[in-house]
Amino acid sequence: MNNHFPIQRMTHEIQIGVKGRILEGDEAGHFILVQNDEENTGGFLILTASDEEMIEGHDAWVEDYKQLEAYFDESHWKIDWRNRTAATS
C-alpha cells in the first residue's frame, strides 16, 4: 500500500518595508518589519520589537527570499500587515 502524502508547506504573505503586528506564533503581540538589504548584504533584515516605534527589539538576517519564507515557517507567524498595498517581494 502506497502511503505517500504531499508535503504541505505554509505559505505567507510577506510584506517588505511594511510594519505589521504578529498575531500568532513566536513573539505574538510584537511588531515586525522586513527590510530588503540587497544593496548592503544581499539578503533581508527581519526586525521585531515590543513597541510600534521599533525601539525595543532585535533583528535577524537571512540570505535570500527562500530563507525568509523558511524563517516565517519556523516562527509560525500570522501577521496583520498595516499597509496591504505594499510590494510583497
Side-chain angles (χ1 to χ4, degrees), residues 21-84:
R21 183 97 189 233
I22 302 170
L23 302 176
E24 295 177 11
D26 297 347
E27 298 183 90
H30 285 69
F31 294 89
I32 183 169
L33 177 64
V34 178
Q35 295 180 331
N36 184 332
D37 197 41
E38 283 182 308
E39 287 186 20
N40 296 315
T41 65
F44 292 90
L45 290 173
I46 305 159
L47 311 171
T48 58
S50 59
D51 60 306
E52 194 165 6
E53 292 77 28
M54 307 298 289
I55 296 171
E56 297 293 324
H58 67 275
D59 63 8
W61 178 84
V62 294
E63 187 173 345
D64 56 28
Y65 196 81
K66 184 177 179 180
Q67 287 185 3
L68 181 61
E69 289 178 315
Y71 193 97
F72 270 63
D73 281 348
E74 186 176 315
S75 299
H76 305 285
W77 281 335
K78 178 178 178 184
I79 299 171
D80 177 24
W81 297 104
R82 302 296 188 195
N83 177 3
R84 297 188 184 279

